[in-house]
Amino acid sequence: MKEEKGMDRLPCVDEYEKLVIRMNTPRVVIDNAVCPTATVVTIDSARRHGILLEAVQVLTDLNLSIKKAYISSDGRWFMDVFHVTDQNGNKLTEESVIACIEQSMGTIDSGRTNGYNGLTALELNGTDRVGLLSEVFAVLVDLQCNVVEAKVWTHNGRIASLIYVKDCNSGCPIEDAQKIDRIEARLRNVLKGDNDIRSAKTSVSMVVTHTERRLHQMMFADRDYERKPIFNLGSDSPVVTVQNWAERGYSVVNVQCKDRSKLLFDIVCTLTDMEYVVFHATVNTAGDAAYLEFYIRHRDGTPISSEPERQRVIQCLKAAIERRESKGVLLELFAADRQGLLADVTRTFRENGLNVTRAEVSTQRDMALNFFYVTDAIGNPADPKLIEAVRQRIGLSSLKVKEFPLPCPGKAESEEQAVGVGGAVLLSLGSLVRRNLYNLGLIKSCS
């Protein structure tokens, strides 16, 4: 009889589990009719720390532009409304893209794979200098490490990089403990140089988090926000204010800056990693300007409580916005992939006095697709004649200029054509949304 009662209760347990899953799985509605200029993505979900960041991450990983957003929490529930377009400013019409958003949003509670399985992740932190990347890639060639993907950020004289490698001979992740120790030691010596004995850091990991979030975390831990700016951003420098709304117990953060790709992700990522919760927010863009407002509290429900804390939030948000700013001439390298390609190219940059301020490295089958922002040795725009000489040496058909820095911050015509660092870097690929879907295996062709 006890067995029968147990069996009778199983359907009830099943239904309860289904109810819990339904309550915790975000509900996604995608509407192309309600707004004439953008696709509206609405997400309803139980509220938990970090879910807003994960929702924004889904959209930015598909290289979609968020033109407007409304975020609101009510008790234990929250609703996000995003007005999004592709990088060309068009509504989303491809069924594969819409299906990918619905699928990804529906699984943010259960976690998603990052696409770097089977690779070894190298994390590098240190003082930036001309030629540093050249030395790093030369060491990796010497240690028989094949670079598959990499992202490099610099800000306020510091560098953070995530490099994904595999063994040149076996094509497998690097798991040998002695080899890992050699990689860490050699790279740490390169990062130290003559002046960075204490703050240079390297680590090797088989566990990979979201690359750009991890870069923010590395820069934050390195306290890049406390350092003196290397580049003068002038009128493009973001304006951040923080005030307390005592009656409602919120701290209100206002951000005004130049609009660009992945801006909302960078801000929400930083607030989340600083252990703040966004209860309400609005995002508006007009032309090339962005206006964002966030109502935040600590995770324990209290607002910002001191002037030093308020200043720290301002510093950290400014740094988060500036890390992805375009600095220098944007170069695209598209060439047959081979061992030592990155070492050769970055050595040519170094020998011609070019400093890499940002880099994105990727490989597709047998081809390498790499992007570099370069300046002269002291951070000024590189001489076009020097750029042309470097192109001649590397190969005119392989290395192309994708974007020159704007000659004047006030030039509206040029500003309108700039879609931000992420957009400028990736527009040359055609449709980045299709590329991401292709990499995820959701479509058969990225052309």
Side-chain angles (χ1 to χ4, degrees), residues 22-28 42-48 51-52 55 72-80 105 108-109:
R22 281 199 300 271
M23 288 178 64
N24 288 286
T25 299
R27 292 193 293 272
V28 184
T42 304
I43 307 162
D44 291 296
S45 176
R47 181 168 64 83
R48 65 170 175 78
I51 194 169
L52 171 61
S72 182
S73 297
D74 184 8
R76 295 185 177 274
W77 202 257
F78 92 116
M79 181 176 74
D80 296 342
M105 291 293 186
I108 57 178
D109 273 311

Side-chain angles (χ1 to χ4, degrees), residues 97-109:
V97 177
I98 293 172
C100 185
I101 294 173
E102 292 173 335
Q103 176 185 334
S104 299
M105 291 293 186
T107 58
I108 57 178
D109 273 311

Side-chain angles (χ1 to χ4, degrees), residues 83 145 162 167 185 187 190 247 256 279 325 328 349 353 363:
H83 291 232
C145 299
L162 263 172
D167 184 82
L187 290 177
V190 168
E247 292 82 359
Q256 181 176 339
F279 286 84
E325 291 284 349
F349 290 163
T363 55

Side-chain angles (χ1 to χ4, degrees), residues 16-195:
Y16 175 74
E17 288 177 350
K18 289 178 183 176
L19 176 62
V20 171
I21 291 171
R22 281 199 300 271
M23 288 178 64
N24 288 286
T25 299
R27 292 193 293 272
V28 184
V29 176
I30 299 176
D31 192 334
N32 261 323
V34 69
C35 176
T37 58
T39 299
V40 179
V41 180
T42 304
I43 307 162
D44 291 296
S45 176
R47 181 168 64 83
R48 65 170 175 78
H49 186 61
I51 194 169
L52 171 61
L53 173 60
E54 291 172 21
V56 173
Q57 180 181 309
V58 167
L59 300 175
T60 55
D61 282 352
L62 286 169
N63 294 287
L64 303 177
S65 295
I66 299 173
K67 299 301 182 183
K68 290 184 180 181
Y70 308 95
I71 292 119
S72 182
S73 297
D74 184 8
R76 295 185 177 274
W77 202 257
F78 92 116
M79 181 176 74
D80 296 342
V81 180
F82 300 100
H83 291 232
V84 301
T85 67
D86 63 20
Q87 286 289 337
N88 296 317
N90 302 317
K91 287 186 178 185
L92 312 184
T93 55
E94 292 186 33
E95 288 299 324
S96 56
V97 177
I98 293 172
C100 185
I101 294 173
E102 292 173 335
Q103 176 185 334
S104 299
M105 291 293 186
T107 58
I108 57 178
D109 273 311
S110 57
R112 292 172 289 124
T113 58
N114 51 53
Y116 293 110
N117 294 328
L119 300 174
T120 302
L122 311 178
E123 295 186 0
L124 311 179
N125 263 111
T127 299
D128 188 29
R129 66 177 187 270
V130 175
L132 177 58
L133 274 188
S134 168
E135 297 174 48
V136 167
F137 290 133
V139 165
L140 294 177
V141 170
D142 189 51
L143 292 171
Q144 296 294 297
C145 299
N146 184 31
V147 178
V148 180
E149 306 274 344
K151 286 192 177 180
V152 180
W153 288 0
T154 64
H155 181 243
N156 286 355
R158 305 298 294 172
I159 186 171
S161 178
L162 263 172
I163 304 174
Y164 301 97
V165 300
K166 60 184 178 182
D167 184 82
C168 283
N169 299 316
S170 67
C172 297
I174 299 167
E175 299 176 319
D176 179 77
Q178 290 185 340
K179 184 167 184 177
I180 287 174
D181 288 342
R182 287 198 303 272
I183 292 171
E184 286 189 312
R186 290 277 300 275
L187 290 177
R188 192 177 299 114
N189 284 335
V190 168
L191 287 169
K192 284 179 181 178
D194 297 325
N195 304 310

Side-chain angles (χ1 to χ4, degrees), residues 144-249:
Q144 296 294 297
C145 299
N146 184 31
V147 178
V148 180
E149 306 274 344
K151 286 192 177 180
V152 180
W153 288 0
T154 64
H155 181 243
N156 286 355
R158 305 298 294 172
I159 186 171
S161 178
L162 263 172
I163 304 174
Y164 301 97
V165 300
K166 60 184 178 182
D167 184 82
C168 283
N169 299 316
S170 67
C172 297
I174 299 167
E175 299 176 319
D176 179 77
Q178 290 185 340
K179 184 167 184 177
I180 287 174
D181 288 342
R182 287 198 303 272
I183 292 171
E184 286 189 312
R186 290 277 300 275
L187 290 177
R188 192 177 299 114
N189 284 335
V190 168
L191 287 169
K192 284 179 181 178
D194 297 325
N195 304 310
D196 198 9
I197 297 174
R198 293 184 179 179
S199 65
K201 297 177 183 176
T202 64
S203 67
V204 179
S205 173
M206 301 299 294
V207 180
V208 183
T209 58
H210 185 268
T211 301
E212 293 178 339
R213 182 176 186 187
R214 184 63 189 138
L215 287 171
H216 276 301
Q217 291 171 338
M218 291 164 66
M219 283 289 199
F220 176 75
D222 196 42
R223 294 180 174 268
D224 67 319
Y225 55 88
E226 293 181 345
R227 299 175 185 271
K228 186 177 179 181
I230 301 298
F231 296 94
N232 181 16
L233 298 176
S235 60
D236 282 341
S237 182
V239 176
V240 181
T241 62
V242 178
Q243 296 177 318
N244 275 2
W245 187 9
E247 292 82 359
R248 295 297 180 92

